Amino acid sequence: MAIPAQSAGHERIVIEGVAPEVDAGRFPIKRTVGEKVVVEADAFVDGHDQLGCVLHYRKAGATKWGEVSMRPLGNDRWRGEFSVREIGRYGYTITAWVDHFRTWRAELEKREQPTDVALALLIGAELIEAAAARTTIPHTAQLRLHARELRAERDPFARRLLALDPELARLMARFPDRTLETRYERELTVVVDEARAGYSTWYELFPRSCVHDPGAHGSLRSCEERLPYIASMGFDVLYLPPIHPIGMTARKGRNNALSADEDDPGSPWAIGSEAGGHKAVHPRLGTLEDLRHLVGRAREHGLEVALDIAFQCSPDHPYVEQSPRWFRWRPDGSVQYAENPPKKYQDIYPLNFETEDRQGLWEELRDVFLFWIEQGVHIFRVDNPHTKPFPFWEWLITDIKSKHPEVIFLAEAFTRPKVMHRLAKLGFTQSYTYFTWRNSKSELTDYFTELTQTPAREYFRPNLWPNTPDILHEYLQVGGRPAFMIRLVLAATLGANYGVYGPAFELYEATPRERGSEEYLSSEKFEIRAWDVERPDSLEHFIARVNQIRHQNEALQHDWSLCFHPVDNEALLCYSKHSDALDNVILVVVNIDPHHTRAGWVELPLEELQLLPDHPYQVHDLLSDTRYLWQGARNYVELDPHAAPAHIFRLRRHVRTERDFDYFI
Amino acid sequence: MAIPAQSAGHERIVIEGVAPEVDAGRFPIKRTVGEKVVVEADAFVDGHDQLGCVLHYRKAGATKWGEVSMRPLGNDRWRGEFSVREIGRYGYTITAWVDHFRTWRAELEKREQPTDVALALLIGAELIEAAAARTTIPHTAQLRLHARELRAERDPFARRLLALDPELARLMARFPDRTLETRYERELTVVVDEARAGYSTWYELFPRSCVHDPGAHGSLRSCEERLPYIASMGFDVLYLPPIHPIGMTARKGRNNALSADEDDPGSPWAIGSEAGGHKAVHPRLGTLEDLRHLVGRAREHGLEVALDIAFQCSPDHPYVEQSPRWFRWRPDGSVQYAENPPKKYQDIYPLNFETEDRQGLWEELRDVFLFWIEQGVHIFRVDNPHTKPFPFWEWLITDIKSKHPEVIFLAEAFTRPKVMHRLAKLGFTQSYTYFTWRNSKSELTDYFTELTQTPAREYFRPNLWPNTPDILHEYLQVGGRPAFMIRLVLAATLGANYGVYGPAFELYEATPRERGSEEYLSSEKFEIRAWDVERPDSLEHFIARVNQIRHQNEALQHDWSLCFHPVDNEALLCYSKHSDALDNVILVVVNIDPHHTRAGWVELPLEELQLLPDHPYQVHDLLSDTRYLWQGARNYVELDPHAAPAHIFRLRRHVRTERDFDYFI
């Protein structure tokens, strides 16, 4: 076998075990603007030589790399970090080299024989002179002076002292010999999203239900009247189910009936009629102009409008006539309606992604997003992405974000875990999760540990939904108002991104279509509901308070610091989150039993929270504005779900002033 | 952005998370002849289509792939396996495709409307006819018949029964439409070694010490006289430290003295003199012919001779004059002697792998191995591989194994973990470990769980050494004879590959050169020792018994089944190993306190060991030939290190004969 040619890099060095890195660099990691990327890697060389190691990073398209030192963590592991300041893509990689001067210096310290020391000093002088040749005045002169000192005719041990001068080491570190450096084989990618991709609070509503009177049909204009109400609850994304024309053929009636009455509005997901398809607004909802107006008014209230993009068609959709090749025709000339087992959508045709007109179909669907982006929308909830091919989404999202990097795609894929992860890897900004079905203490602990403490967090950004128009979990059906409060606190504090489907949520609508079903009775999917949002028992103010707490506490605006703490009661869940600097620590205790008062002893890791075992500290319940003085690791909590099912404590550590006048920060 | 062209494969399918796979396929996994390769992967597709999935494998160089079905494990995970029957390299990879017939069949089962069923039957008939076209008589005819039945003018539900015929499903499974199959992007590699690579028992000895009288110099011929003794202890590898001429310049004296007396033999690792270098035999040890003779005689005793290859030179080595470019010359015209901190080798020059004559050096060193392979040696212990470049070893081992795939390379790298792992990845067959320094219960449990239960086991094959000529651990220094028995049992039962340095081991030589040192007093590295191997207190028979137990119990010939079990005494270590079929289960209990009797309750996982909680079972101590009747998970053990510091139990489960005459197998 031929001896491999010595590569351009320094072949002796190995760089491996780089983290974060998704599937050997096949997929990017995700960050939001201003966040840090902390990179670790193993870098090592045969023998005993010492290494230098740097992290490179650059905005995509930039020719010049930024460079920061990586520091050794022990066991050949190195760590460095950089911040991503702009939306878009960044690249990062690693370089290491043998640091001959540092290696030489470490060996020199151990030499004991005068002849060995003298010889080592000559070698050191050569290294310093080589560095001098790599730089310019005044460093050249300075280094040459050092080299001369090492060669001087003096006692070698005296010269060794000069050689070990830390000033010289610092100077040499500035001019390493990197001609034989090793570059890591891959350039890895970070997709940087706008801040809302990492911290957002969603409110879903059917604009056609923005009515006061039963029997009326709401519109984008009547939806504007709700904006102050929604904004006052602290939401920042207003998400609308499909706003397009709805088909008449096979239209569903109330409660998913197979035939509709004349005045039944049909399902907004049965998209398309003679009035238009995915680029049109339902005539009764209004016009494109109305949408642009709503987007602008919402923004004045701090709300971004998100649209639902569902790639499927009513039999009346213009595509069916215009591009029959986009559908799969059966031997009898019909199209099999869509299914998402066990759900059946008799009013919907799926698109056929195995069409011969791949180019036409893909481009048209991409243009649907571009169309709405032109109207001012830049957040999209994507319906059932898991029933379309992965390469389609990867191409579409990459293409759109290359021109509109601010766009946020939320994947509504309630499917098998690996499919959900694939969609997140290939580009979806946020992902629906199984939170909706995780209700017990162990389920919540296991699932959120997985979501926030494994490498999947690099690409999978959870967005938690206690309810959706499709899902009314049994826990909410039987738990009453406390159950809604509990699920709200969990969603809002376990996830930096969460959303509710309202007004069903704040009015704790809880009646299923039938026993054992997760469908709502009188679901808004099939009829217009005139909600009384001013009902005095509404959760409006509770939601507003929780969202205000999120807004005021950085700890709740990120996911990765989540840590669960033991409580000796299976119905009590306790966890904390904190800011990077630990100056904001939130401790949540939730009674997940919506029926009974539960009490127990919470156990905190004092050291990690920078608490002293023998000093009291304050826990300030931001929900009730009550303060408790705790001490030590174990403290008592008791929660009555009918009064307040949760504490959201801000931890206030004990400090002293110069005058020993105690207070809490 | 351009729409990606539809690839040759079926782009909808994802194959990922393949295991085993080392560093995204950069390095091969390892097996021995006859072992299985169990491969798992995630394979999934968008939507609800069902997949077929196969594992491919082939001997390197073969053009045709073998193919075995993979079976679904749930959660989109698949598993298949193949056996490697020949020494050399194998490739493996995975293919998946959408199984339209199975998808169709599963949907057909759910259809309820007669018109839906009738339509589905037509589609099914088309699928069956397509399959008929893919095959030949008699299957073509058979399938066409099935298709006709599905199209017949009969009640659709009656036809559905025929369509769901399992016989038809089996037939269709034989002729899937794989034109759009997806191939995993990588072809992965298995290096298959001879059986001894996975199960071997090493005995290291200095042939020059094969003498009866102090002052004599042993030889390869006198070493032959020891063969019956070594073989009777159950060893199958006889490993010799370097057998080459030893330099005179800077020769070390007894106990590592900086100057040697005239009759000091010098260190065998100070290789080379005017008598020759790495391809020569030390004149006092004998001739090349003597080595070949020893290799042949050893083989008659079931022993393979292993040589130590140490790439370093005495200042008198012929290389120094012939190829001065292979050394790094200092400004004063000298060469810095070798160091492996804190050890100093004043009698040894390291080779300079940054030489300009890379081609010459690499080829010469490779030829050293080839030279000894020609003499009949095919096992090599490689000295300090971590001080030579990684690419050198990767090239050398790959090159040699391409012609001599049976060759075994043992890496003697006692260095940082990641460097040791890299050497194992790039091709070393076996690796020294930290076992020598792991003595407490938690150290042993943690370390062996890491070695045997993490993915690193795919490439890192441990070889355990309780002692070496370099390392006399403090545990052995203070623990006396019981300590040697304990460490022997641990090495022999925790590792399928282990070795001892004898006769120092069986004569439990335990005096260090000085307090705090791991060096032997009167180390054989620097002087000849006339061992009295017939001493009545020798551990010879104990070692023979332990090795016989290894030989008779398949459980001890592999590493991966290792499982630790709780014992309520910090000095008692309990673990089991078993054969794949669970017909051989070995349970080891070791008292790691060499001074005191220790007792405790062992706790076994009954179900995993296929034991019934209410049936007694026998544990048969193969060391003492004593049998105990145990019942349930918890049982009492007591071990006096001065009598017997360990049990090596064979588990004998309770069975009944036809005549209800109880006995144990």
Side-chain angles (χ1 to χ4, degrees):
Chain A
M1 199 168 88
I3 294 177
Q6 184 151 19
S7 53
H10 199 300
E11 63 175 7
R12 284 176 55 204
I13 297 175
V14 173
I15 302 175
E16 62 176 20
V18 176
E21 177 181 280
V22 182
D23 292 359
R26 164 74 178 82
F27 297 105
I29 63 163
K30 297 190 174 105
R31 291 293 185 275
T32 56
V33 156
E35 281 191 322
K36 279 189 302 197
V37 180
V38 179
V39 179
E40 286 191 11
D42 296 330
F44 54 87
V45 66
D46 62 272
H48 310 286
D49 285 340
Q50 302 211 22
L51 296 187
C53 196
V54 293
L55 170 64
H56 305 275
Y57 62 96
R58 64 177 170 191
K59 188 85 194 293
T63 47
K64 268 193 74 174
W65 288 97
E67 191 178 297
V68 286
S69 288
M70 298 184 79
R71 65 174 198 283
L73 303 175
N75 192 20
D76 294 316
R77 193 107 184 122
W78 298 75
R79 181 187 292 159
E81 62 180 60
F82 64 98
S83 291
V84 285
R85 302 190 192 285
E86 291 172 53
I87 292 174
R89 287 181 164 238
Y90 281 71
Y92 62 100
T93 193
I94 292 162
T95 289
W97 62 90
V98 171
D99 188 329
H100 289 292
F101 184 79
R102 211 147 52 134
T103 304
W104 168 84
R105 191 176 186 273
E107 280 171 7
L108 180 66
E109 280 182 307
K110 292 182 216 145
R111 297 269 166 242
E112 288 155 13
Q113 304 297 328
T115 50
D116 281 353
V117 172
L119 210 46
L121 290 166
L122 291 184
I123 295 168
E126 285 177 5
L127 291 171
I128 295 167
E129 278 154 2
R134 281 193 297 275
T135 180
T136 49
I137 296 168
H139 303 302
T140 310
Q142 211 178 337
L143 286 165
R144 293 225 166 102
L145 192 66
H146 279 291
R148 262 203 301 284
E149 279 173 345
L150 265 57
R151 290 184 190 278
E153 296 223 349
R154 285 178 62 190
D155 167 55
F157 290 94
R159 281 185 284 151
R160 179 163 77 165
L161 273 184
L162 297 173
L164 296 176
D165 178 5
E167 186 51 48
L168 173 59
R170 267 192 295 276
L171 197 56
M172 286 296 287
R174 291 180 57 191
F175 309 106
D177 178 7
R178 287 172 53 177
T179 47
L180 291 178
E181 67 184 14
T182 299
R183 176 69 68 108
Y184 180 54
E185 61 192 312
R186 304 182 187 116
E187 180 180 334
L188 304 169
T189 305
V190 198
V191 166
V192 183
D193 295 305
E194 69 143 316
R196 219 175 290 240
Y199 166 50
S200 61
T201 315
W202 293 50
Y203 188 83
E204 174 176 6
L205 118 175
F206 286 77
R208 70 187 183 188
S209 287
C210 293
V211 293
H212 297 286
D213 309 314
H217 195 294
S219 67
L220 299 174
R221 289 279 172 179
S222 71
C223 179
E224 285 186 12
E225 292 165 27
R226 286 275 167 87
L227 293 173
Y229 166 76
I230 298 164
S232 75
M233 285 190 283
F235 293 99
D236 59 12
V237 178
L238 170 60
Y239 147 45
L240 311 179
I243 58 171
H244 317 301
I246 296 170
M248 289 303 300
T249 303
R251 175 176 283 195
K252 292 284 185 83
R254 291 165 189 241
N255 287 311
N256 204 24
L258 278 174
S259 68
D261 286 342
E262 203 172 319
D263 60 343
D264 282 340
S267 160
W269 285 273
I271 295 168
S273 76
E274 58 194 14
H278 283 76
K279 295 176 186 166
V281 175
H282 191 296
R284 299 198 66 179
L285 285 180
T287 63
L288 273 181
E289 168 55 29
D290 290 341
L291 178 76
R292 287 192 295 266
H293 196 265
L294 173 65
V295 168
R297 287 293 312 283
R299 209 161 274 158
E300 287 166 20
H301 286 86
L303 283 156
E304 284 296 325
V305 169
L307 289 187
D308 191 344
I309 301 295
F311 284 142
Q312 56 197 32
C313 300
S314 139
D316 308 329
H317 195 294
Y319 289 164
V320 179
E321 282 226 337
Q322 287 164 17
S323 304
R325 290 191 296 171
W326 297 354
F327 302 89
R328 193 189 298 273
W329 298 91
R330 295 190 291 186
D332 69 340
S334 69
V335 172
Q336 172 62 53
Y337 56 76
E339 294 175 275
N340 190 13
K343 290 176 179 154
K344 296 182 175 191
Y345 304 101
Q346 290 88 345
D347 50 346
I348 293 171
Y349 283 0
L351 288 162
N352 173 21
F353 279 86
E354 295 183 332
T355 175
E356 289 154 33
D357 184 25
R358 171 190 171 94
Q359 182 93 9
L361 177 64
W362 286 31
E363 284 182 354
E364 170 64 16
L365 300 183
R366 187 260 325 264
D367 290 349
V368 168
F369 283 100
L370 292 176
F371 179 85
W372 297 108
I373 290 169
E374 265 171 50
Q375 314 309 316
V377 176
H378 76 266
I379 305 184
F380 299 96
R381 179 267 200 192
V382 179
D383 190 80
N384 282 338
H386 60 287
T387 58
K388 287 93 192 169
F390 303 116
F392 165 70
W393 290 121
E394 188 168 23
W395 165 79
L396 184 146
I397 294 173
T398 309
D399 187 54
I400 288 180
K401 294 196 78 160
S402 69
K403 294 162 212 139
H404 306 280
E406 73 287 359
V407 171
I408 290 175
F409 295 89
L410 165 62
E412 186 253 4
F414 287 123
T415 179
R416 291 120 59 210
K418 284 162 189 169
V419 174
M420 288 168 66
H421 277 250
R422 184 76 181 190
L423 292 165
K425 283 181 192 174
L426 59 77
F428 279 92
T429 322
Q430 298 183 348
S431 304
Y432 276 49
T433 70
Y434 301 134
F435 167 71
T436 319
W437 297 274
R438 297 293 180 272
N439 289 280
S440 75
K441 181 172 176 171
S442 67
E443 283 170 351
L444 287 162
T445 306
D446 291 352
Y447 188 51
F448 281 89
T449 300
E450 179 194 321
L451 286 178
T452 64
Q453 308 303 319
T454 66
R457 70 185 193 179
E458 296 290 348
Y459 59 82
F460 192 96
R461 276 206 202 97
N463 190 330
L464 317 184
W465 291 77
N467 74 333
T468 77
D470 266 333
I471 311 162
L472 171 66
H473 191 276
E474 195 177 11
Y475 182 88
L476 296 177
Q477 294 176 23
V478 304
R481 196 171 185 270
F484 283 76
M485 294 170 75
I486 290 164
R487 296 298 290 174
L488 184 91
V489 168
L490 289 172
T493 59
L494 285 170
N497 297 299
Y498 90 98
V500 299
Y501 150 56
F505 192 85
E506 63 264 31
L507 300 178
Y508 50 97
E509 176 82 2
T511 316
R513 186 186 301 155
E514 60 201 359
R515 209 187 160 83
S517 166
E518 289 185 346
E519 291 281 343
Y520 284 90
L521 181 68
S522 306
S523 166
E524 281 190 277
K525 291 195 290 182
F526 310 108
E527 63 190 274
I528 292 168
R529 298 283 301 269
W531 301 100
D532 176 11
V533 297
E534 283 167 20
R535 241 169 58 191
D537 60 343
S538 165
L539 291 169
E540 173 190 356
H541 298 295
F542 182 74
I543 294 171
R545 181 70 196 128
V546 169
N547 284 336
Q548 190 186 30
I549 292 170
R550 281 164 54 89
H551 193 64
Q552 291 170 345
N553 290 277
E554 195 196 329
L556 296 175
Q557 298 168 15
H558 301 274
D559 285 334
W560 295 4
S561 69
L562 180 67
C563 181
F564 290 93
H565 307 298
V567 198
D568 57 356
N569 186 320
E570 268 313 288
L572 294 181
L573 188 65
C574 174
Y575 49 91
S576 63
K577 281 179 149 184
H578 58 78
S579 60
D580 273 1
L582 262 166
D583 53 354
N584 182 247
V585 182
I586 294 293
L587 180 72
V588 182
V589 188
V590 188
N591 176 4
I592 55 177
D593 176 352
H595 305 291
H596 308 102
T597 296
R598 299 289 196 125
W601 290 82
V602 162
E603 198 173 326
L604 297 183
L606 296 185
E607 204 172 338
E608 282 167 39
L609 298 172
Q610 299 183 347
L611 296 169
L612 296 169
D614 47 359
H615 275 61
Y617 52 95
Q618 205 189 77
V619 292
H620 176 192
D621 187 355
L622 304 174
L623 279 175
S624 62
D625 198 19
T626 317
R627 292 161 192 254
Y628 303 82
L629 216 52
W630 282 10
Q631 185 171 340
R634 282 170 63 84
N635 290 278
Y636 180 79
V637 288
E638 182 180 307
L639 287 163
D640 173 1
H642 299 288
H647 293 302
I648 304 180
F649 289 127
R650 172 146 186 198
L651 205 68
R652 298 185 186 273
R653 284 183 284 264
H654 199 193
V655 295
R656 281 161 200 267
T657 67
E658 283 171 58
R659 284 149 54 196
D660 204 10
F661 198 178
D662 292 2
Y663 69 107
F664 294 90
I665 54 157
Chain B
M1 200 169 87
I3 293 178
Q6 184 150 17
S7 53
H10 200 299
E11 63 176 8
R12 284 176 56 204
I13 296 175
V14 172
I15 302 176
E16 63 175 19
V18 176
E21 177 181 281
V22 182
D23 292 359
R26 164 74 177 81
F27 298 104
I29 63 163
K30 297 189 174 107
R31 290 294 184 274
T32 56
V33 157
E35 281 191 322
K36 280 189 301 198
V37 181
V38 179
V39 179
E40 286 190 13
D42 297 331
F44 54 87
V45 65
D46 62 272
H48 310 285
D49 285 340
Q50 302 210 22
L51 297 187
C53 196
V54 293
L55 171 63
H56 305 275
Y57 62 96
R58 64 176 169 192
K59 188 85 195 295
T63 46
K64 268 195 73 176
W65 288 95
E67 193 177 296
V68 285
S69 287
M70 298 184 78
R71 66 176 197 283
L73 303 175
N75 193 18
D76 293 317
R77 191 107 183 123
W78 299 75
R79 181 188 291 160
E81 62 180 58
F82 64 98
S83 291
V84 285
R85 303 190 192 284
E86 291 173 52
I87 293 173
R89 286 181 164 240
Y90 280 71
Y92 62 100
T93 193
I94 292 162
T95 289
W97 61 90
V98 171
D99 187 329
H100 288 293
F101 184 79
R102 210 148 53 139
T103 305
W104 168 84
R105 191 178 187 273
E107 279 170 8
L108 180 66
E109 281 183 307
K110 292 182 215 142
R111 297 269 166 243
E112 289 156 13
Q113 304 297 326
T115 50
D116 281 352
V117 171
L119 210 45
L121 289 166
L122 290 183
I123 294 167
E126 284 177 6
L127 290 171
I128 295 167
E129 278 154 4
R134 281 194 296 276
T135 180
T136 50
I137 297 170
H139 303 302
T140 311
Q142 211 177 338
L143 286 166
R144 293 224 167 103
L145 192 66
H146 278 291
R148 261 201 303 281
E149 280 172 345
L150 266 57
R151 291 185 190 277
E153 297 222 352
R154 287 178 58 191
D155 168 56
F157 290 95
R159 282 184 283 149
R160 179 163 76 167
L161 273 183
L162 297 172
L164 295 176
D165 178 4
E167 186 50 49
L168 173 59
R170 267 191 296 275
L171 196 56
M172 285 296 287
R174 291 180 58 190
F175 309 106
D177 178 6
R178 286 171 54 176
T179 46
L180 290 180
E181 67 184 14
T182 298
R183 177 67 68 108
Y184 181 54
E185 60 193 311
R186 304 182 186 116
E187 180 180 335
L188 304 169
T189 304
V190 198
V191 165
V192 183
D193 295 305
E194 69 143 317
R196 221 176 288 243
Y199 166 50
S200 62
T201 315
W202 294 50
Y203 188 83
E204 174 176 7
L205 118 174
F206 285 77
R208 72 187 183 187
S209 288
C210 293
V211 293
H212 297 286
D213 310 313
H217 194 294
S219 68
L220 299 175
R221 289 278 171 178
S222 71
C223 179
E224 286 186 11
E225 293 165 27
R226 286 275 168 85
L227 292 174
Y229 166 76
I230 298 164
S232 74
M233 284 190 284
F235 293 100
D236 60 13
V237 179
L238 170 61
Y239 147 44
L240 312 179
I243 58 171
H244 317 301
I246 296 171
M248 289 303 301
T249 303
R251 175 175 282 195
K252 293 283 185 84
R254 291 166 188 242
N255 287 312
N256 203 23
L258 279 174
S259 67
D261 286 342
E262 204 172 319
D263 59 343
D264 283 340
S267 159
W269 285 273
I271 294 166
S273 76
E274 57 193 15
H278 283 76
K279 295 175 187 166
V281 175
H282 192 295
R284 298 200 66 178
L285 285 180
T287 63
L288 273 181
E289 168 54 28
D290 290 341
L291 177 76
R292 288 192 295 264
H293 197 266
L294 173 65
V295 168
R297 288 293 311 281
R299 210 162 275 158
E300 287 166 20
H301 285 87
L303 283 156
E304 283 296 324
V305 169
L307 289 188
D308 191 346
I309 301 295
F311 284 141
Q312 55 198 33
C313 300
S314 138
D316 307 330
H317 196 294
Y319 289 163
V320 179
E321 281 228 334
Q322 288 163 16
S323 303
R325 289 190 298 171
W326 296 354
F327 302 88
R328 193 190 297 274
W329 298 92
R330 295 189 290 187
D332 70 342
S334 68
V335 172
Q336 172 63 51
Y337 56 76
E339 294 174 275
N340 191 12
K343 291 177 179 149
K344 295 182 174 190
Y345 305 101
Q346 291 88 347
D347 50 346
I348 293 170
Y349 284 0
L351 289 162
N352 174 20
F353 279 85
E354 295 185 330
T355 175
E356 290 154 31
D357 183 24
R358 171 189 171 94
Q359 182 93 11
L361 176 65
W362 285 31
E363 285 183 353
E364 170 63 17
L365 300 183
R366 186 260 324 264
D367 291 348
V368 168
F369 283 99
L370 292 176
F371 180 84
W372 296 108
I373 290 169
E374 265 170 50
Q375 314 308 317
V377 176
H378 75 266
I379 306 184
F380 299 96
R381 178 267 201 193
V382 179
D383 190 82
N384 282 339
H386 59 287
T387 59
K388 287 93 193 168
F390 301 115
F392 165 70
W393 289 121
E394 188 167 25
W395 165 78
L396 185 145
I397 294 173
T398 310
D399 188 53
I400 287 180
K401 293 196 79 161
S402 70
K403 293 162 212 139
H404 306 280
E406 73 287 0
V407 171
I408 290 174
F409 296 89
L410 165 62
E412 186 255 5
F414 287 123
T415 179
R416 292 122 57 212
K418 284 163 189 170
V419 174
M420 288 168 65
H421 277 251
R422 184 76 180 189
L423 291 165
K425 282 181 193 173
L426 58 77
F428 279 92
T429 323
Q430 298 183 347
S431 304
Y432 276 49
T433 70
Y434 302 134
F435 168 71
T436 320
W437 297 274
R438 297 292 180 271
N439 289 280
S440 75
K441 181 172 176 171
S442 67
E443 283 170 351
L444 287 162
T445 306
D446 291 351
Y447 189 50
F448 281 89
T449 300
E450 180 193 320
L451 286 178
T452 65
Q453 307 304 319
T454 66
R457 71 185 191 179
E458 297 290 348
Y459 59 82
F460 191 96
R461 275 207 202 97
N463 190 331
L464 317 184
W465 291 77
N467 74 333
T468 78
D470 266 335
I471 310 163
L472 171 67
H473 191 276
E474 196 178 8
Y475 183 86
L476 296 177
Q477 294 176 24
V478 303
R481 196 171 183 272
F484 282 75
M485 295 169 74
I486 290 164
R487 295 298 291 174
L488 184 90
V489 168
L490 290 171
T493 58
L494 285 170
N497 297 298
Y498 91 98
V500 299
Y501 150 56
F505 192 84
E506 62 266 31
L507 300 179
Y508 50 97
E509 176 84 0
T511 316
R513 187 187 300 154
E514 60 201 358
R515 208 188 159 82
S517 167
E518 288 185 346
E519 292 281 344
Y520 284 90
L521 181 67
S522 307
S523 165
E524 282 190 277
K525 290 193 292 183
F526 310 108
E527 63 190 274
I528 291 168
R529 298 283 301 269
W531 300 98
D532 177 10
V533 297
E534 283 166 20
R535 243 168 58 190
D537 60 342
S538 165
L539 291 169
E540 174 189 355
H541 298 294
F542 182 74
I543 294 171
R545 181 71 197 126
V546 169
N547 284 337
Q548 191 185 27
I549 292 170
R550 280 164 56 88
H551 194 65
Q552 292 169 345
N553 290 277
E554 196 197 329
L556 297 175
Q557 297 168 15
H558 301 274
D559 285 333
W560 295 5
S561 69
L562 180 67
C563 180
F564 290 92
H565 307 299
V567 200
D568 57 356
N569 186 321
E570 267 314 287
L572 293 181
L573 188 65
C574 174
Y575 48 91
S576 63
K577 281 179 150 183
H578 58 78
S579 60
D580 273 1
L582 262 167
D583 53 354
N584 182 248
V585 181
I586 294 293
L587 180 71
V588 182
V589 188
V590 188
N591 175 4
I592 55 176
D593 176 351
H595 304 290
H596 309 101
T597 297
R598 298 291 195 123
W601 291 81
V602 161
E603 199 172 326
L604 297 184
L606 295 186
E607 204 172 338
E608 283 167 38
L609 298 173
Q610 298 183 347
L611 296 169
L612 297 170
D614 47 0
H615 274 61
Y617 51 95
Q618 205 188 75
V619 293
H620 176 192
D621 187 354
L622 304 174
L623 280 175
S624 62
D625 199 18
T626 316
R627 291 161 193 254
Y628 303 83
L629 216 53
W630 282 9
Q631 186 172 340
R634 281 170 64 84
N635 290 278
Y636 181 78
V637 288
E638 183 179 306
L639 287 163
D640 173 0
H642 299 286
H647 292 303
I648 304 180
F649 290 127
R650 172 144 186 201
L651 206 68
R652 297 185 187 275
R653 285 183 284 263
H654 200 192
V655 295
R656 281 163 199 264
T657 68
E658 284 170 56
R659 284 149 53 197
D660 205 8
F661 199 63
D662 292 4
Y663 67 107
F664 294 90
I665 53 157

